[in-house]
Amino acid sequence: MTATVEGPDFIALQVKDVPAAAAFFEERLGLRRAPASPPGAVVFTTSPVPFAVREPLPGVDLDGAARPGLGVALWLRASDASAVREQLVRAGTEEVSPLQDSPFGPMFSFTGPEGYRLTVHGG
């Protein structure tokens, strides 16, 4: 029998300023920190896949990137995408798109810490 991959099991964004990025996800999206995180990272108690922000790995030059994560789609599930969108707008979050319908429920995108483009859906 061949070995197979079951799917994503951990997602981390590499950022230059871990405390600021962690604060963004806590304060604007309501994520909660896990009880323990490795050095140079903050892990959140997201489900079903753990999510973190971490220092760049050796050889990663975020200063040279036009937009970090370009080409990667990162969608975050919410109980109420419309309410999350309003929270982000009130907090002055950059480039929050209008709410629109999708096969996964209402969705919108916004620019998060250090220029990552993120999408929220659900509700």
Side-chain angles (χ1 to χ4, degrees):
M1 175 174 226
T2 16
T4 61
V5 172
E6 295 176 9
D9 195 38
F10 182 75
I11 297 170
L13 296 180
Q14 296 179 68
V15 295
K16 295 178 282 187
D17 189 340
V18 172
F24 178 95
F25 286 106
E26 286 178 306
E27 296 165 9
R28 297 198 186 186
L29 297 178
L31 298 186
R32 290 183 306 254
R33 291 179 187 228
S37 295
V42 172
V43 178
F44 298 98
T45 58
T46 54
S47 174
V49 177
F51 172 73
V53 290
R54 61 158 297 136
E55 295 173 343
L57 294 168
V60 173
D61 177 16
L62 293 176
D63 290 325
R67 171 177 264 164
L70 186 62
V72 174
L74 180 54
W75 285 48
L76 305 168
R77 184 182 64 243
S79 59
D80 185 342
S82 178
V84 171
R85 183 184 178 282
E86 291 308 312
Q87 288 171 199
L88 290 171
V89 168
R90 281 194 307 272
T93 305
E94 296 179 27
E95 301 176 27
V96 179
S97 72
L99 194 67
Q100 57 189 7
D101 291 329
S102 82
F104 309 105
M107 57 81 66
F108 68 94
S109 297
F110 66 97
T111 299
E114 301 189 23
Y116 283 98
R117 194 74 181 151
L118 307 169
T119 300
V120 172
H121 72 95

